[in-house]
Amino acid sequence: DEGAAALLPLRDALPLLCGDVAPVAPCRLTLAAAQGRIAAEAVAAPRDLPECAAALRDGFAVEAASVGGASPYAPVMLVSPPPWIEAGAGLPTGTDAVLLPEGFEGGAVVADVAVREGVRAPGEEIGAGEILIAAGSRIGALQRLGLAAAGLDSVSVRLPRLRILPTRTPVLEPLASLIARLVEDHGGMAEIAATGSGPDAIAEAIAGSVRDG
C-alpha cells in the first residue's frame, strides 16, 4: 500500500523532525507578561531581603543588653523614650530588639527582651545570590511574587511559538485545540491556522509559517 509505505516508525521520525531544532532566543518581559512562561536562565537575588535588620512587629527599638532583666518589679528607667518603630522598618543604629508596646510605661522599660527578639535579620527571607528560579522553570504566581520582592521588574524567558496546521479532517480539529492548550500550559504560544488537506496546500501553509518567522 503506497500510503502505508510513507509512514515511519516514531523512533525514525523524531530525529528527522527535531534534528535542526534549537532553543528559541531569549527575550526580556515584565514580570506580569512573564507569568506562565519559561525562564531562559537562572535568576539570583540581587541583594539581601531585608537588606538590614528590620522590625518584625510594631514596638520600641531598644538595645537588649541595656534593658536586660526589666520587669514591673524591676523597671529600667530611661533618660528618654526609645524610638517607636513600625513593622518592616529598619532598626535604628545601636538597637537590636523590638520591645512590645506594653513593655514601656511611665518612662521605664517593664519587660525583658532578648537580642534580635521581634527582628528579621538581614537576608532572612532572601539572601543575596540565592537562586529564585532555575533556568527552564515555569514562572508561576509565587515565583513572580518572589522576583518582585527581590526588587526585579523583568526576567529573561524563552517564548516558543507553534503554528498548528490541521488539515480539514473533523477528527484532527479537537486534537489541534488540545495541543494548543498543552503548548500554552508549558509556557509557549500556539496558533491554529486553517489549511487545506492536499499536499500543495499543506506545503504552502508550512512555507508561510517559515516566512512569518
Side-chain angles (χ1 to χ4, degrees):
D1 178 73
E2 184 176 345
L7 297 177
L8 285 176
L10 183 60
R11 64 177 179 274
D12 297 329
L14 283 176
L16 296 175
L17 291 170
C18 303
D20 295 328
V21 173
V24 298
C27 61
R28 198 155 197 92
L29 297 179
T30 65
L31 296 186
Q35 184 169 328
R37 306 306 181 188
I38 304 300
E41 58 191 14
V43 180
R47 58 179 182 271
D48 285 338
L49 183 69
E51 294 187 72
C52 60
L56 190 61
R57 62 195 184 195
D58 295 348
F60 295 98
V62 298
E63 182 186 24
S66 67
V67 297
S71 73
Y73 304 102
V76 175
M77 301 300 298
L78 299 180
V79 176
S80 60
W84 176 261
I85 191 170
E86 302 284 345
L91 264 65
T93 301
T95 65
D96 55 17
V98 176
L99 182 70
L100 289 169
E102 58 270 25
F104 182 74
E105 293 180 359
V109 175
V110 294
D112 195 10
V113 65
V115 175
R116 292 188 295 276
E117 185 176 335
V119 174
R120 290 186 303 159
E124 184 174 317
E125 292 188 10
I126 301 174
E130 181 179 339
I131 299 300
L132 302 175
I133 189 166
S137 298
R138 187 172 185 271
I139 301 170
L142 290 178
Q143 288 78 12
R144 176 184 169 186
L145 288 174
L147 294 168
L152 301 171
D153 57 12
S154 64
V155 66
S156 182
V157 303
R158 296 191 191 275
L159 193 56
R161 294 183 297 163
L162 180 66
R163 179 172 290 179
I164 304 169
L165 306 172
T167 57
R168 294 177 182 174
T169 304
V171 72
L172 293 181
E173 292 177 2
L175 181 59
S177 297
L178 175 61
I179 293 172
R181 286 198 301 272
L182 289 172
V183 171
E184 293 284 349
D185 288 345
H186 286 78
M189 298 178 65
E191 173 193 1
I192 300 175
T195 183
S197 57
D200 292 341
I202 295 173
E204 175 58 30
I206 294 173
S209 298
V210 173
R211 287 194 298 269
D212 294 343

mmCIF file with all atom_site columns, all heavy atoms in Angstrom, residues 126-150:
data_model
loop_
_atom_site.group_PDB
_atom_site.id
_atom_site.type_symbol
_atom_site.label_atom_id
_atom_site.label_alt_id
_atom_site.label_comp_id
_atom_site.label_asym_id
_atom_site.label_entity_id
_atom_site.label_seq_id
_atom_site.pdbx_PDB_ins_code
_atom_site.Cartn_x
_atom_site.Cartn_y
_atom_site.Cartn_z
_atom_site.occupancy
_atom_site.B_iso_or_equiv
_atom_site.pdbx_formal_charge
_atom_site.auth_seq_id
_atom_site.auth_comp_id
_atom_site.auth_asym_id
_atom_site.auth_atom_id
_atom_site.pdbx_PDB_model_num
ATOM 1   N N   . ILE A 1 126 ? 15.343 36.349 51.914 1.00 0.00 ? 126 ILE A N   1
ATOM 2   C CA  . ILE A 1 126 ? 16.053 36.011 50.680 1.00 0.00 ? 126 ILE A CA  1
ATOM 3   C C   . ILE A 1 126 ? 17.482 36.504 50.826 1.00 0.00 ? 126 ILE A C   1
ATOM 4   O O   . ILE A 1 126 ? 17.716 37.669 51.158 1.00 0.00 ? 126 ILE A O   1
ATOM 5   C CB  . ILE A 1 126 ? 15.402 36.669 49.442 1.00 0.00 ? 126 ILE A CB  1
ATOM 6   C CG1 . ILE A 1 126 ? 13.940 36.224 49.288 1.00 0.00 ? 126 ILE A CG1 1
ATOM 7   C CG2 . ILE A 1 126 ? 16.191 36.351 48.174 1.00 0.00 ? 126 ILE A CG2 1
ATOM 8   C CD1 . ILE A 1 126 ? 13.195 36.953 48.173 1.00 0.00 ? 126 ILE A CD1 1
ATOM 9   N N   . GLY A 1 127 ? 18.436 35.617 50.572 1.00 0.00 ? 127 GLY A N   1
ATOM 10  C CA  . GLY A 1 127 ? 19.837 36.002 50.647 1.00 0.00 ? 127 GLY A CA  1
ATOM 11  C C   . GLY A 1 127 ? 20.368 36.436 49.298 1.00 0.00 ? 127 GLY A C   1
ATOM 12  O O   . GLY A 1 127 ? 19.968 35.898 48.255 1.00 0.00 ? 127 GLY A O   1
ATOM 13  N N   . ALA A 1 128 ? 21.273 37.400 49.278 1.00 0.00 ? 128 ALA A N   1
ATOM 14  C CA  . ALA A 1 128 ? 21.885 37.839 48.024 1.00 0.00 ? 128 ALA A CA  1
ATOM 15  C C   . ALA A 1 128 ? 22.529 36.649 47.320 1.00 0.00 ? 128 ALA A C   1
ATOM 16  O O   . ALA A 1 128 ? 23.252 35.869 47.931 1.00 0.00 ? 128 ALA A O   1
ATOM 17  C CB  . ALA A 1 128 ? 22.919 38.924 48.301 1.00 0.00 ? 128 ALA A CB  1
ATOM 18  N N   . GLY A 1 129 ? 22.245 36.496 46.040 1.00 0.00 ? 129 GLY A N   1
ATOM 19  C CA  . GLY A 1 129 ? 22.796 35.382 45.269 1.00 0.00 ? 129 GLY A CA  1
ATOM 20  C C   . GLY A 1 129 ? 21.953 34.128 45.304 1.00 0.00 ? 129 GLY A C   1
ATOM 21  O O   . GLY A 1 129 ? 22.224 33.178 44.568 1.00 0.00 ? 129 GLY A O   1
ATOM 22  N N   . GLU A 1 130 ? 20.940 34.100 46.157 1.00 0.00 ? 130 GLU A N   1
ATOM 23  C CA  . GLU A 1 130 ? 20.055 32.926 46.232 1.00 0.00 ? 130 GLU A CA  1
ATOM 24  C C   . GLU A 1 130 ? 19.279 32.776 44.924 1.00 0.00 ? 130 GLU A C   1
ATOM 25  O O   . GLU A 1 130 ? 18.776 33.759 44.374 1.00 0.00 ? 130 GLU A O   1
ATOM 26  C CB  . GLU A 1 130 ? 19.090 33.084 47.399 1.00 0.00 ? 130 GLU A CB  1
ATOM 27  C CG  . GLU A 1 130 ? 18.142 31.914 47.597 1.00 0.00 ? 130 GLU A CG  1
ATOM 28  C CD  . GLU A 1 130 ? 17.211 32.110 48.790 1.00 0.00 ? 130 GLU A CD  1
ATOM 29  O OE1 . GLU A 1 130 ? 17.561 32.927 49.678 1.00 0.00 ? 130 GLU A OE1 1
ATOM 30  O OE2 . GLU A 1 130 ? 16.159 31.462 48.833 1.00 0.00 ? 130 GLU A OE2 1
ATOM 31  N N   . ILE A 1 131 ? 19.219 31.550 44.406 1.00 0.00 ? 131 ILE A N   1
ATOM 32  C CA  . ILE A 1 131 ? 18.513 31.306 43.151 1.00 0.00 ? 131 ILE A CA  1
ATOM 33  C C   . ILE A 1 131 ? 17.007 31.360 43.404 1.00 0.00 ? 131 ILE A C   1
ATOM 34  O O   . ILE A 1 131 ? 16.464 30.578 44.174 1.00 0.00 ? 131 ILE A O   1
ATOM 35  C CB  . ILE A 1 131 ? 18.906 29.946 42.543 1.00 0.00 ? 131 ILE A CB  1
ATOM 36  C CG1 . ILE A 1 131 ? 20.403 29.919 42.232 1.00 0.00 ? 131 ILE A CG1 1
ATOM 37  C CG2 . ILE A 1 131 ? 18.105 29.679 41.268 1.00 0.00 ? 131 ILE A CG2 1
ATOM 38  C CD1 . ILE A 1 131 ? 20.861 30.986 41.251 1.00 0.00 ? 131 ILE A CD1 1
ATOM 39  N N   . LEU A 1 132 ? 16.363 32.299 42.742 1.00 0.00 ? 132 LEU A N   1
ATOM 40  C CA  . LEU A 1 132 ? 14.916 32.473 42.897 1.00 0.00 ? 132 LEU A CA  1
ATOM 41  C C   . LEU A 1 132 ? 14.141 31.576 41.957 1.00 0.00 ? 132 LEU A C   1
ATOM 42  O O   . LEU A 1 132 ? 13.047 31.105 42.286 1.00 0.00 ? 132 LEU A O   1
ATOM 43  C CB  . LEU A 1 132 ? 14.541 33.933 42.635 1.00 0.00 ? 132 LEU A CB  1
ATOM 44  C CG  . LEU A 1 132 ? 15.238 34.968 43.520 1.00 0.00 ? 132 LEU A CG  1
ATOM 45  C CD1 . LEU A 1 132 ? 14.864 36.370 43.085 1.00 0.00 ? 132 LEU A CD1 1
ATOM 46  C CD2 . LEU A 1 132 ? 14.872 34.746 44.985 1.00 0.00 ? 132 LEU A CD2 1
ATOM 47  N N   . ILE A 1 133 ? 14.701 31.339 40.780 1.00 0.00 ? 133 ILE A N   1
ATOM 48  C CA  . ILE A 1 133 ? 14.054 30.452 39.816 1.00 0.00 ? 133 ILE A CA  1
ATOM 49  C C   . ILE A 1 133 ? 15.135 29.862 38.913 1.00 0.00 ? 133 ILE A C   1
ATOM 50  O O   . ILE A 1 133 ? 16.065 30.568 38.505 1.00 0.00 ? 133 ILE A O   1
ATOM 51  C CB  . ILE A 1 133 ? 12.974 31.190 38.997 1.00 0.00 ? 133 ILE A CB  1
ATOM 52  C CG1 . ILE A 1 133 ? 12.173 30.204 38.155 1.00 0.00 ? 133 ILE A CG1 1
ATOM 53  C CG2 . ILE A 1 133 ? 13.559 32.304 38.149 1.00 0.00 ? 133 ILE A CG2 1
ATOM 54  C CD1 . ILE A 1 133 ? 10.889 30.786 37.595 1.00 0.00 ? 133 ILE A CD1 1
ATOM 55  N N   . ALA A 1 134 ? 15.045 28.578 38.650 1.00 0.00 ? 134 ALA A N   1
ATOM 56  C CA  . ALA A 1 134 ? 16.060 27.898 37.841 1.00 0.00 ? 134 ALA A CA  1
ATOM 57  C C   . ALA A 1 134 ? 15.754 28.048 36.358 1.00 0.00 ? 134 ALA A C   1
ATOM 58  O O   . ALA A 1 134 ? 14.596 28.230 35.953 1.00 0.00 ? 134 ALA A O   1
ATOM 59  C CB  . ALA A 1 134 ? 16.115 26.415 38.214 1.00 0.00 ? 134 ALA A CB  1
ATOM 60  N N   . ALA A 1 135 ? 16.790 27.976 35.544 1.00 0.00 ? 135 ALA A N   1
ATOM 61  C CA  . ALA A 1 135 ? 16.603 28.010 34.091 1.00 0.00 ? 135 ALA A CA  1
ATOM 62  C C   . ALA A 1 135 ? 15.715 26.844 33.668 1.00 0.00 ? 135 ALA A C   1
ATOM 63  O O   . ALA A 1 135 ? 15.881 25.726 34.144 1.00 0.00 ? 135 ALA A O   1
ATOM 64  C CB  . ALA A 1 135 ? 17.949 27.937 33.385 1.00 0.00 ? 135 ALA A CB  1
ATOM 65  N N   . GLY A 1 136 ? 14.765 27.131 32.795 1.00 0.00 ? 136 GLY A N   1
ATOM 66  C CA  . GLY A 1 136 ? 13.866 26.092 32.312 1.00 0.00 ? 136 GLY A CA  1
ATOM 67  C C   . GLY A 1 136 ? 12.637 25.894 33.176 1.00 0.00 ? 136 GLY A C   1
ATOM 68  O O   . GLY A 1 136 ? 11.786 25.071 32.847 1.00 0.00 ? 136 GLY A O   1
ATOM 69  N N   . SER A 1 137 ? 12.534 26.646 34.279 1.00 0.00 ? 137 SER A N   1
ATOM 70  C CA  . SER A 1 137 ? 11.373 26.526 35.158 1.00 0.00 ? 137 SER A CA  1
ATOM 71  C C   . SER A 1 137 ? 10.248 27.449 34.689 1.00 0.00 ? 137 SER A C   1
ATOM 72  O O   . SER A 1 137 ? 10.488 28.530 34.164 1.00 0.00 ? 137 SER A O   1
ATOM 73  C CB  . SER A 1 137 ? 11.746 26.878 36.600 1.00 0.00 ? 137 SER A CB  1
ATOM 74  O OG  . SER A 1 137 ? 12.725 25.986 37.089 1.00 0.00 ? 137 SER A OG  1
ATOM 75  N N   . ARG A 1 138 ? 9.041  26.999 34.951 1.00 0.00 ? 138 ARG A N   1
ATOM 76  C CA  . ARG A 1 138 ? 7.874  27.824 34.610 1.00 0.00 ? 138 ARG A CA  1
ATOM 77  C C   . ARG A 1 138 ? 7.681  28.885 35.687 1.00 0.00 ? 138 ARG A C   1
ATOM 78  O O   . ARG A 1 138 ? 7.780  28.599 36.881 1.00 0.00 ? 138 ARG A O   1
ATOM 79  C CB  . ARG A 1 138 ? 6.626  26.947 34.503 1.00 0.00 ? 138 ARG A CB  1
ATOM 80  C CG  . ARG A 1 138 ? 5.384  27.657 33.983 1.00 0.00 ? 138 ARG A CG  1
ATOM 81  C CD  . ARG A 1 138 ? 4.262  26.632 33.746 1.00 0.00 ? 138 ARG A CD  1
ATOM 82  N NE  . ARG A 1 138 ? 3.096  27.246 33.140 1.00 0.00 ? 138 ARG A NE  1
ATOM 83  C CZ  . ARG A 1 138 ? 2.097  27.799 33.834 1.00 0.00 ? 138 ARG A CZ  1
ATOM 84  N NH1 . ARG A 1 138 ? 2.147  27.802 35.152 1.00 0.00 ? 138 ARG A NH1 1
ATOM 85  N NH2 . ARG A 1 138 ? 1.065  28.337 33.214 1.00 0.00 ? 138 ARG A NH2 1
ATOM 86  N N   . ILE A 1 139 ? 7.418  30.106 35.269 1.00 0.00 ? 139 ILE A N   1
ATOM 87  C CA  . ILE A 1 139 ? 7.242  31.217 36.196 1.00 0.00 ? 139 ILE A CA  1
ATOM 88  C C   . ILE A 1 139 ? 5.769  31.303 36.573 1.00 0.00 ? 139 ILE A C   1
ATOM 89  O O   . ILE A 1 139 ? 4.931  31.757 35.785 1.00 0.00 ? 139 ILE A O   1
ATOM 90  C CB  . ILE A 1 139 ? 7.713  32.540 35.559 1.00 0.00 ? 139 ILE A CB  1
ATOM 91  C CG1 . ILE A 1 139 ? 9.192  32.432 35.161 1.00 0.00 ? 139 ILE A CG1 1
ATOM 92  C CG2 . ILE A 1 139 ? 7.511  33.704 36.531 1.00 0.00 ? 139 ILE A CG2 1
ATOM 93  C CD1 . ILE A 1 139 ? 9.683  33.582 34.322 1.00 0.00 ? 139 ILE A CD1 1
ATOM 94  N N   . GLY A 1 140 ? 5.453  30.828 37.771 1.00 0.00 ? 140 GLY A N   1
ATOM 95  C CA  . GLY A 1 140 ? 4.079  30.878 38.258 1.00 0.00 ? 140 GLY A CA  1
ATOM 96  C C   . GLY A 1 140 ? 3.847  32.111 39.114 1.00 0.00 ? 140 GLY A C   1
ATOM 97  O O   . GLY A 1 140 ? 4.715  32.981 39.241 1.00 0.00 ? 140 GLY A O   1
ATOM 98  N N   . ALA A 1 141 ? 2.679  32.173 39.728 1.00 0.00 ? 141 ALA A N   1
ATOM 99  C CA  . ALA A 1 141 ? 2.327  33.340 40.538 1.00 0.00 ? 141 ALA A CA  1
ATOM 100 C C   . ALA A 1 141 ? 3.267  33.510 41.732 1.00 0.00 ? 141 ALA A C   1
ATOM 101 O O   . ALA A 1 141 ? 3.692  34.629 42.049 1.00 0.00 ? 141 ALA A O   1
ATOM 102 C CB  . ALA A 1 141 ? 0.880  33.223 41.005 1.00 0.00 ? 141 ALA A CB  1
ATOM 103 N N   . LEU A 1 142 ? 3.624  32.409 42.398 1.00 0.00 ? 142 LEU A N   1
ATOM 104 C CA  . LEU A 1 142 ? 4.500  32.507 43.560 1.00 0.00 ? 142 LEU A CA  1
ATOM 105 C C   . LEU A 1 142 ? 5.908  32.953 43.158 1.00 0.00 ? 142 LEU A C   1
ATOM 106 O O   . LEU A 1 142 ? 6.532  33.760 43.842 1.00 0.00 ? 142 LEU A O   1
ATOM 107 C CB  . LEU A 1 142 ? 4.561  31.163 44.287 1.00 0.00 ? 142 LEU A CB  1
ATOM 108 C CG  . LEU A 1 142 ? 3.288  30.740 45.028 1.00 0.00 ? 142 LEU A CG  1
ATOM 109 C CD1 . LEU A 1 142 ? 3.470  29.367 45.669 1.00 0.00 ? 142 LEU A CD1 1
ATOM 110 C CD2 . LEU A 1 142 ? 2.921  31.771 46.095 1.00 0.00 ? 142 LEU A CD2 1
ATOM 111 N N   . GLN A 1 143 ? 6.394  32.420 42.028 1.00 0.00 ? 143 GLN A N   1
ATOM 112 C CA  . GLN A 1 143 ? 7.716  32.825 41.550 1.00 0.00 ? 143 GLN A CA  1
ATOM 113 C C   . GLN A 1 143 ? 7.717  34.317 41.186 1.00 0.00 ? 143 GLN A C   1
ATOM 114 O O   . GLN A 1 143 ? 8.676  35.040 41.453 1.00 0.00 ? 143 GLN A O   1
ATOM 115 C CB  . GLN A 1 143 ? 8.137  31.992 40.339 1.00 0.00 ? 143 GLN A CB  1
ATOM 116 C CG  . GLN A 1 143 ? 8.510  30.563 40.645 1.00 0.00 ? 143 GLN A CG  1
ATOM 117 C CD  . GLN A 1 143 ? 7.308  29.670 40.847 1.00 0.00 ? 143 GLN A CD  1
ATOM 118 O OE1 . GLN A 1 143 ? 6.173  30.047 40.554 1.00 0.00 ? 143 GLN A OE1 1
ATOM 119 N NE2 . GLN A 1 143 ? 7.536  28.458 41.341 1.00 0.00 ? 143 GLN A NE2 1
ATOM 120 N N   . ARG A 1 144 ? 6.621  34.745 40.580 1.00 0.00 ? 144 ARG A N   1
ATOM 121 C CA  . ARG A 1 144 ? 6.514  36.170 40.232 1.00 0.00 ? 144 ARG A CA  1
ATOM 122 C C   . ARG A 1 144 ? 6.574  37.037 41.483 1.00 0.00 ? 144 ARG A C   1
ATOM 123 O O   . ARG A 1 144 ? 7.258  38.070 41.509 1.00 0.00 ? 144 ARG A O   1
ATOM 124 C CB  . ARG A 1 144 ? 5.207  36.420 39.468 1.00 0.00 ? 144 ARG A CB  1
ATOM 125 C CG  . ARG A 1 144 ? 4.941  37.881 39.150 1.00 0.00 ? 144 ARG A CG  1
ATOM 126 C CD  . ARG A 1 144 ? 3.581  38.039 38.486 1.00 0.00 ? 144 ARG A CD  1
ATOM 127 N NE  . ARG A 1 144 ? 3.195  39.437 38.407 1.00 0.00 ? 144 ARG A NE  1
ATOM 128 C CZ  . ARG A 1 144 ? 2.013  39.860 37.972 1.00 0.00 ? 144 ARG A CZ  1
ATOM 129 N NH1 . ARG A 1 144 ? 1.098  38.986 37.557 1.00 0.00 ? 144 ARG A NH1 1
ATOM 130 N NH2 . ARG A 1 144 ? 1.741  41.157 37.945 1.00 0.00 ? 144 ARG A NH2 1
ATOM 131 N N   . LEU A 1 145 ? 5.888  36.635 42.549 1.00 0.00 ? 145 LEU A N   1
ATOM 132 C CA  . LEU A 1 145 ? 5.915  37.397 43.793 1.00 0.00 ? 145 LEU A CA  1
ATOM 133 C C   . LEU A 1 145 ? 7.326  37.436 44.387 1.00 0.00 ? 145 LEU A C   1
ATOM 134 O O   . LEU A 1 145 ? 7.772  38.469 44.893 1.00 0.00 ? 145 LEU A O   1
ATOM 135 C CB  . LEU A 1 145 ? 4.942  36.785 44.802 1.00 0.00 ? 145 LEU A CB  1
ATOM 136 C CG  . LEU A 1 145 ? 3.450  36.991 44.524 1.00 0.00 ? 145 LEU A CG  1
ATOM 137 C CD1 . LEU A 1 145 ? 2.614  36.200 45.520 1.00 0.00 ? 145 LEU A CD1 1
ATOM 138 C CD2 . LEU A 1 145 ? 3.089  38.475 44.586 1.00 0.00 ? 145 LEU A CD2 1
ATOM 139 N N   . GLY A 1 146 ? 8.019  36.291 44.328 1.00 0.00 ? 146 GLY A N   1
ATOM 140 C CA  . GLY A 1 146 ? 9.383  36.251 44.842 1.00 0.00 ? 146 GLY A CA  1
ATOM 141 C C   . GLY A 1 146 ? 10.319 37.150 44.069 1.00 0.00 ? 146 GLY A C   1
ATOM 142 O O   . GLY A 1 146 ? 11.161 37.840 44.657 1.00 0.00 ? 146 GLY A O   1
ATOM 143 N N   . LEU A 1 147 ? 10.184 37.172 42.747 1.00 0.00 ? 147 LEU A N   1
ATOM 144 C CA  . LEU A 1 147 ? 11.019 38.037 41.911 1.00 0.00 ? 147 LEU A CA  1
ATOM 145 C C   . LEU A 1 147 ? 10.744 39.504 42.219 1.00 0.00 ? 147 LEU A C   1
ATOM 146 O O   . LEU A 1 147 ? 11.663 40.314 42.306 1.00 0.00 ? 147 LEU A O   1
ATOM 147 C CB  . LEU A 1 147 ? 10.768 37.748 40.437 1.00 0.00 ? 147 LEU A CB  1
ATOM 148 C CG  . LEU A 1 147 ? 11.200 36.361 39.938 1.00 0.00 ? 147 LEU A CG  1
ATOM 149 C CD1 . LEU A 1 147 ? 10.629 36.090 38.547 1.00 0.00 ? 147 LEU A CD1 1
ATOM 150 C CD2 . LEU A 1 147 ? 12.718 36.242 39.911 1.00 0.00 ? 147 LEU A CD2 1
ATOM 151 N N   . ALA A 1 148 ? 9.460  39.837 42.387 1.00 0.00 ? 148 ALA A N   1
ATOM 152 C CA  . ALA A 1 148 ? 9.100  41.220 42.702 1.00 0.00 ? 148 ALA A CA  1
ATOM 153 C C   . ALA A 1 148 ? 9.625  41.626 44.073 1.00 0.00 ? 148 ALA A C   1
ATOM 154 O O   . ALA A 1 148 ? 10.129 42.743 44.264 1.00 0.00 ? 148 ALA A O   1
ATOM 155 C CB  . ALA A 1 148 ? 7.587  41.394 42.624 1.00 0.00 ? 148 ALA A CB  1
ATOM 156 N N   . ALA A 1 149 ? 9.522  40.708 45.047 1.00 0.00 ? 149 ALA A N   1
ATOM 157 C CA  . ALA A 1 149 ? 10.002 41.006 46.397 1.00 0.00 ? 149 ALA A CA  1
ATOM 158 C C   . ALA A 1 149 ? 11.505 41.263 46.406 1.00 0.00 ? 149 ALA A C   1
ATOM 159 O O   . ALA A 1 149 ? 12.006 42.042 47.213 1.00 0.00 ? 149 ALA A O   1
ATOM 160 C CB  . ALA A 1 149 ? 9.666  39.855 47.339 1.00 0.00 ? 149 ALA A CB  1
ATOM 161 N N   . ALA A 1 150 ? 12.222 40.613 45.483 1.00 0.00 ? 150 ALA A N   1
ATOM 162 C CA  . ALA A 1 150 ? 13.672 40.791 45.402 1.00 0.00 ? 150 ALA A CA  1
ATOM 163 C C   . ALA A 1 150 ? 14.050 42.066 44.651 1.00 0.00 ? 150 ALA A C   1
ATOM 164 O O   . ALA A 1 150 ? 15.231 42.364 44.484 1.00 0.00 ? 150 ALA A O   1
ATOM 165 C CB  . ALA A 1 150 ? 14.307 39.585 44.711 1.00 0.00 ? 150 ALA A CB  1
#
